[in-house]
Structure formats: structure tokens, C-alpha cells
Amino acid sequence: GGPRPPAGPPPSSRGQASKSQESKLMDRTQKQGNGAFFSESQLPSCKSGFYTAEEERNTRRRTCRFLEEGCKKLRLPRLAISTSMVFFHKFFCQHSFQEKDRFEVAVACILLAAKTEEC
């Protein structure tokens, strides 16, 4: 095969997305059990006022880094790392960061992911 085209939108459209388009994409990051998308402002931590949407994103991002580092130290495959992150995100779509310690939940997600993926 020949060279691959660059990932992402074509060069002519890069950086041209309006702020409203960007915010719509950011708001469609989570799914409810019925398959409908909902905005970050509907996440439990944001609804309660514990976090802003940006703080919620940063907390999730930092915890995913923790999950990745922990799984790598345990020499788990990439599939288990990704599965642990999915479990983590799904859990915190239903529970507030104020209710549960995110690191305890993250460790439980690693355990469940390792068992689910038969590592």
C-alpha cells in the first residue's frame, strides 16, 4: 500500500469548526442506558454543582492516565486498559465524584477489566 492520508478532517476544513459545533461535540460524550446522548451538564457531579464540565473532563482524563499506568505496571494488554476506562466512565455517568473515591473505583475497574478480558 501507498502512503496513508492524514487522520482527521481534510486540511481545508481544519480549524474551521465553530464554537457551537465544538461544544455540541463535547456535550455528546456520554450515553445514558437508553442509548440517548446527554450533555456533560447532566452528569451527576455537574448536576450537583460539585464540578464544572471542564473540571469533570480533567478529572476523568487524569484518572484514565492513572488507569493506564496501573494496568501497564500489571502488564495487562491494551484491551484490558481500554475496558477499565469504559467501566470507569460508565460508573461515573451514574454516580458523582463526590459520592465515591475515584481511585477506589479505578482499582475496581482494573480488576473487573482483567477478569472480563480473561487476563
Side-chain angles (χ1 to χ4, degrees):
R4 289 184 163 168
S12 61
S13 67
R14 283 191 182 130
Q16 294 179 3
S18 71
K19 278 290 183 192
S20 64
Q21 287 173 322
E22 265 181 37
S23 65
K24 285 178 187 173
L25 287 173
M26 293 302 289
D27 284 345
R28 292 190 321 169
T29 56
Q30 306 296 327
K31 279 188 163 187
Q32 287 181 324
N34 62 7
F37 286 102
F38 63 95
S39 72
E40 290 174 319
S41 62
Q42 292 175 302
L43 293 169
S45 296
C46 294
K47 276 172 104 172
S48 70
F50 186 68
Y51 279 148
T52 64
E54 184 176 353
E55 291 169 329
E56 172 99 9
R57 274 193 306 276
N58 289 334
T59 300
R60 287 173 179 267
R61 190 175 300 119
R62 286 192 315 267
T63 310
C64 282
R65 254 186 261 126
F66 170 81
L67 286 165
E68 184 157 18
E69 290 172 18
C71 287
K72 282 183 177 178
K73 284 192 186 273
L74 294 169
R75 295 189 178 128
L76 295 175
R78 183 72 219 169
L79 183 58
I81 296 170
S82 300
T83 302
S84 71
M85 291 179 187
V86 169
F87 289 161
F88 175 80
H89 286 303
K90 285 185 174 225
F91 182 85
F92 281 108
C93 282
Q94 300 297 320
H95 301 277
S96 171
F97 283 102
Q98 191 173 16
E99 296 172 21
K100 309 286 182 190
D101 181 78
R102 66 186 169 116
F103 294 107
E104 286 182 11
V105 172
V107 170
C109 290
I110 292 172
L111 172 70
L112 291 173
K115 291 178 86 49
T116 301
E117 302 306 333
E118 298 180 352
C119 300

